[in-house]
Amino acid sequence: EVVHAASPFGLGARGLAAARNLGIPTVAVYQTDMPSYVAQHGGPIGPWAHRASWAWVRHLHSLADLTLAPSSAAIEELTAHGVPRLALWGRGVDTSTYSPQLKQTPESAHLRSRLAPDGEVIVGYVGRLAPEKELHRLAEIADLPGVSLALVGDGPSRTDLERLLPRAHFLGRQEGALLALSYASFDCFCHTGTKETFGQTLQEAMASGVPVVAPAAGGPLDIVKPGVTGLLFDPGTLGELRRSVGTLVADEGMRRRMSESAARSVADRSWAGLVGSLTQHYRSVIIARRSPVHSRAA
């Protein structure tokens, strides 16, 4: 009844084209800012590759009856590049797995004693260790007094980051209960990438009762409420990340208040609710296909 193209940049484009030929309603999900990644890694042809990537994104999403974007920033960018028929569809978070209650467990106490043996404030990151995550920014906070830096994840930048951040703890790739425990053991979550269309790890950290520091760009603008659930920094100003993290490190009371607010802010973002809204989008494209106006236009 509906074709859902979850990642339409490559194979999904063929699916959208086939569905269009067969008269099947379609929904495409925009979740990765591929043009920016292509430009970032394109070297001398980066600007040309960026324009070509947006032309391809515009073409393939024009094949869909509806494109779902995960944040208001993503919708604005897609609109600016001429992508039609857009709607907002966010992401859910598993609040039973990611929980502030884990902070009180012996396992969390043991991990904290390993990461912060002298009672340091643990600043954590979770995600792929890759150039597009802009983790070089963490060098700004690596020497903050009283800070222990912990990175969960793996990827092509790990070796370079280990050289850049020799005092940081690299915990490797984690999932499930082990990942949830790491989140809950953090005092502050630090996100550095400026090209995120959403930022699922921010929600997982907040569900774990961890305040977030993130760039004032892209998906985090919809997730972090500055001064309430965390802080947003200007990624274009050197030292802003250090200032923001330093503010939280120096104020335990602020961290405690933001921890409670962060957990409350995502308590109702269940996957069940998000799937319910997704099925409503499916129904909308089915109904639109059946309308006389659509039939005449086709």
Side-chain angles (χ1 to χ4, degrees), residues 115 120-125 135 138-139 141-143 147-151 165 167-171 186 190:
L115 298 178
E120 296 94 337
V121 174
I122 302 173
V123 178
Y125 164 84
L135 290 163
L138 292 177
I141 63 172
D143 64 344
V147 165
S148 173
L149 187 59
L151 288 79
L165 309 168
R167 295 170 51 197
H169 300 271
F170 289 82
L171 304 181
F186 296 158
C190 185

Side-chain angles (χ1 to χ4, degrees), residues 3-184:
V3 168
H4 174 133
S7 183
F9 196 81
L11 179 61
R14 297 290 300 274
L16 289 173
R20 188 179 184 89
N21 290 337
L22 294 168
I24 302 172
T26 54
V27 169
V29 176
Y30 178 78
Q31 55 190 356
T32 302
D33 185 359
M34 193 63 70
S36 292
Y37 291 163
V38 169
Q40 187 175 29
H41 301 292
I45 66 168
W48 174 86
H50 184 259
R51 292 191 297 272
S53 295
W54 268 118
W56 177 241
V57 168
R58 183 166 52 250
H59 164 70
L60 68 89
H61 281 279
S62 71
L63 299 175
D65 292 310
L66 182 66
T67 289
L68 301 179
S71 66
S72 57
I75 285 182
E76 289 176 5
E77 187 167 36
L78 289 166
T79 300
H81 285 90
V83 177
R85 301 180 296 281
L86 300 166
L88 182 66
W89 184 58
R91 299 290 183 270
V93 61
D94 183 357
T95 54
S96 60
T97 297
Y98 305 106
S99 168
Q101 301 304 316
L102 292 174
K103 293 179 178 293
Q104 312 305 321
T105 63
E107 293 82 3
S108 177
H110 176 72
L111 179 57
R112 286 190 60 87
S113 69
R114 180 161 67 92
L115 298 178
D118 298 318
E120 296 94 337
V121 174
I122 302 173
V123 178
Y125 164 84
V126 174
R128 182 168 159 79
L129 307 185
E132 65 268 15
K133 300 301 182 181
E134 303 176 49
L135 290 163
H136 62 278
R137 296 178 185 274
L138 292 177
E140 282 191 30
I141 63 172
D143 64 344
L144 270 174
V147 165
S148 173
L149 187 59
L151 288 79
V152 175
D154 212 340
S157 296
R158 177 164 179 167
T159 300
D160 291 339
L161 288 168
E162 287 175 334
R163 285 196 293 263
L164 180 66
L165 309 168
R167 295 170 51 197
H169 300 271
F170 289 82
L171 304 181
R173 186 179 183 276
Q174 297 180 354
E175 58 184 27
L178 182 60
L179 175 58
L181 180 66
S182 291
Y183 271 122

